[in-house]
Amino acid sequence: MRRYFRLSMGFSILTMLSVSIGYAGFQEEPKVLTKEYFDIAYYTGKDADSIKHKLNLFVPEGVENPPILLWIHGGAWAFGGRKFETDLARKFASEGVAVAAISYRLSPGTWRDPDFKDGIQHPEHIKDVARAFAWIYDHAEEYCYDQNSIFVGGYSAGGHLAALLAMDPTYLSEVGRSVRDVRGAIPIAGAYDIAAYHESHLRYNGKEMAEKHVQAVFGKTEGHFRKASPTTYIENQWVPMLVISESGTYEYTKLLENAALKSKYDRMEFHHVHNMDHAELLDDLSKSQKSDHRKMIVDYINKNKVDHAFLKKQDVTLAYQLFGEGEPLFILNGGPGFSSHNFKSLAQRFSKNHRTVLFDQRGTGFSKMPEINSETMTLDLMVEDLEGLRKHLGYGQISLFGQSFGGMYAMAYAAKYPENVKCMILSHSGGMTLEFLEDVNQRLNAGLSSADQDLLSDASNIKNVDLQTKQRHKALAPGYLFNKENRNVVFKGLAFRSRFYSDVNGLIWADLRKKAYDLSGKMKLFNKPVLILHGDNDIVHPKYAEYADSIFSNSTLKILKDCVHYGWLDAPEDYFVAIDTFLSTKQ
């Protein structure tokens, strides 16, 4: 049985709005000087609204590459605008967070004023928000904020829209962007289950209010309500979220929280402000000289913003992270075409005794390139990226850890720069030639159940790239494991904590085939210590690990029992003991 809660959110929002208007213009001295840009058009198509398709931008001065918060105003989807958010934007900017306060087209508001009869209906509001996000992403360099650290937040109706943008990938996909470009979402005081919201108004405020307020915005059917509800998309875990309620919206937020708990959505944090009502919390965020709740949001943004350093080269900007102290150990993740973010826990594990370096390979993650094509995406250029990063960091000899394709990457580097390599760890590595590819898919599919096979087959029918990729990873995850109980760990790592770039993947394999990739001859000459770790049931047949061991002159081979492609999950004790022992004796 669905529970419903008494709340006339529309009237609460109107009270909030009148408070905002009444106090506009009385701002306090900012802590940080701010550059302010008003009435910037974020959409200029033939159907652009000359008033609503605009934003105001507030960028803190003296803060290098600050994160940015796309802020969506409240007003029951029918009232409000960017100008009423100036106090709030200036407060956040004064604390080092850039803000883009946007307007968006509104729905009829006849439930408040009969003259407010014109307007749009869902999904037009969220389409505008997506357009604004795309503009913010594209203009980061021009206005000097961090393209990789775009957060989406909003209050009341804006909270609903912020959550929906982050959880339903449809709208960002339509403007050429992805939910993977959203660094975090901060929905505040919103309604996240529109069916419950409609029923609450119907029960407590009457049929006319339910029709003129809720149905006028979202449509008349359960299907309309479901499509507009963030709770519908609770299985999508790409975007970390800080969800905040106040006394008036607590029960609505609990619906989202309960759905998240049920689905084990582990990237959501909830904070309930029980001692403030709808207008008071917004007032606190916008006007208080010192606000604990504003500080919590700023802290959340600073905690979750991108913390990479960058090396700018001629054709690529490489993003990297450093962990720990000691002899340098470079982590080369698998792929090709995956970002490195799923390997952060391994980098931290190895950083206990080493200076571990984790970086996004060219064309993935935060390592941006102006052009991705057959000329810019080659293994030779990737080798030069690694060499450039070694020099940039001032290291002499380095140790290499390569997982899967990362092992091939490590060997390619060692083939060209053997004098710079102290030792190598090849973890479930691809082969020295491309022969290993002949049965990889067959071996991977052998680890899938019939239900997984059906899920994989159905993925090709999904048009949205994010959703298609997510389903493919969900279907394939158990194929990488002997212990299927860890399938969700692999699924979440591949689908949510990392990101796959299919164009990069295709171009690298094409490059290797074109150049007849074969490192056997060069590896015969490589005499530094090599540890080869491989699963006895690996998707890369163990015979290729055995072949590598026969080629290297100074290698140790460890075949892990009851293990497929992730030794740290299937055989963690043997896997880490082998690595720790190897590194302690070779450093």
Side-chain angles (χ1 to χ4, degrees), residues 269-393:
E269 300 177 27
F270 290 85
H271 181 76
H272 304 293
V273 184
H274 294 291
N275 63 341
M276 291 185 179
D277 65 22
H278 202 67
E280 288 171 338
L281 179 56
L282 182 66
D283 228 27
D284 177 71
L285 293 172
S286 303
K287 305 184 190 308
S288 295
Q289 178 69 17
K290 182 179 180 182
S291 165
D292 290 339
H293 307 109
R294 190 171 64 240
K295 181 180 184 302
M296 176 175 61
I297 295 170
V298 171
D299 289 346
Y300 182 82
I301 290 173
N302 286 330
K303 176 184 175 182
N304 288 279
K305 68 182 180 181
V306 169
D307 58 354
H308 290 57
F310 296 89
L311 167 61
K312 290 188 177 182
K313 299 182 64 186
Q314 185 174 0
D315 64 338
V316 64
T317 298
L318 290 175
Y320 65 92
Q321 292 177 288
L322 304 176
F323 305 88
E325 298 296 336
E327 293 287 329
L329 173 65
F330 281 64
I331 310 293
L332 307 180
N333 61 273
F338 272 105
S339 64
S340 67
H341 309 156
N342 190 37
F343 280 73
K344 186 174 181 178
S345 59
L346 268 184
Q348 291 172 327
R349 164 66 171 73
F350 295 141
S351 72
K352 294 177 181 178
N353 299 303
H354 298 86
R355 178 70 152 178
T356 53
V357 182
L358 184 65
F359 70 99
D360 286 333
Q361 296 162 17
R362 63 170 44 218
T364 72
F366 306 129
S367 290
K368 303 294 176 65
M369 302 175 63
E371 301 232 2
I372 294 179
N373 54 46
S374 59
E375 293 183 0
T376 63
M377 197 56 61
T378 70
L379 184 58
D380 289 342
L381 289 174
M382 293 176 69
V383 166
E384 294 309 316
D385 290 342
L386 178 51
E387 174 62 3
L389 189 54
R390 181 195 68 85
K391 289 180 177 178
H392 172 71
L393 294 173

Side-chain angles (χ1 to χ4, degrees), residues 126-308:
I126 191 66
K127 286 183 177 181
D128 286 350
V129 175
R131 288 164 170 162
F133 183 95
W135 186 95
I136 291 166
Y137 186 92
D138 290 340
H139 291 81
E141 187 174 351
E142 179 182 352
Y143 290 96
C144 301
Y145 52 81
D146 187 0
Q147 183 187 67
N148 298 319
S149 296
I150 304 176
F151 293 78
V152 177
Y155 201 89
S156 199
H160 159 263
L161 293 171
L164 190 61
L165 188 78
M167 299 178 74
D168 181 354
T170 302
Y171 305 107
L172 283 173
S173 178
E174 289 176 352
V175 295
R177 297 261 48 93
S178 164
V179 289
R180 309 302 299 276
D181 297 322
V182 181
R183 190 63 183 171
I186 308 165
I188 307 171
Y192 309 108
D193 185 325
I194 301 303
Y197 185 66
H198 174 259
E199 182 63 22
S200 178
H201 277 288
L202 187 65
R203 178 173 296 189
Y204 297 112
N205 298 321
K207 182 179 179 182
E208 183 179 5
M209 183 64 178
E211 290 178 351
K212 289 186 175 181
H213 174 36
V214 186
Q215 292 183 18
V217 176
F218 297 108
K220 297 181 179 181
T221 69
E222 281 280 331
H224 289 136
F225 300 155
R226 189 164 53 251
K227 190 173 181 180
S229 298
T231 50
T232 300
Y233 310 98
I234 199 67
E235 295 299 323
N236 297 344
Q237 303 182 51
W238 291 288
V239 181
M241 299 178 70
L242 171 63
V243 187
I244 302 173
S245 76
E246 32 66 46
S247 61
T249 55
Y250 169 73
E251 299 291 358
Y252 285 121
T253 305
K254 284 296 292 184
L255 292 175
L256 183 63
E257 185 172 10
N258 291 339
L261 289 171
K262 184 177 180 181
S263 68
K264 298 181 180 179
Y265 192 143
D266 57 2
R267 306 191 83 186
M268 269 187 177
E269 300 177 27
F270 290 85
H271 181 76
H272 304 293
V273 184
H274 294 291
N275 63 341
M276 291 185 179
D277 65 22
H278 202 67
E280 288 171 338
L281 179 56
L282 182 66
D283 228 27
D284 177 71
L285 293 172
S286 303
K287 305 184 190 308
S288 295
Q289 178 69 17
K290 182 179 180 182
S291 165
D292 290 339
H293 307 109
R294 190 171 64 240
K295 181 180 184 302
M296 176 175 61
I297 295 170
V298 171
D299 289 346
Y300 182 82
I301 290 173
N302 286 330
K303 176 184 175 182
N304 288 279
K305 68 182 180 181
V306 169
D307 58 354
H308 290 57

Side-chain angles (χ1 to χ4, degrees), residues 538-550:
D538 211 298
I539 63 171
V540 177
H541 198 289
K543 67 183 180 182
Y544 297 107
E546 293 167 353
Y547 174 75
D549 185 46
S550 72

Side-chain angles (χ1 to χ4, degrees), residues 31 42-43 181 230 237 252 340 395 444 476 504 532 537 553:
K31 300 176 186 176
Y42 64 77
Y43 177 61
D181 297 322
Q237 303 182 51
Y252 285 121
S340 67
Y395 298 145
L444 177 61
L476 291 172
V504 172
I532 304 170
N537 289 275
S553 62

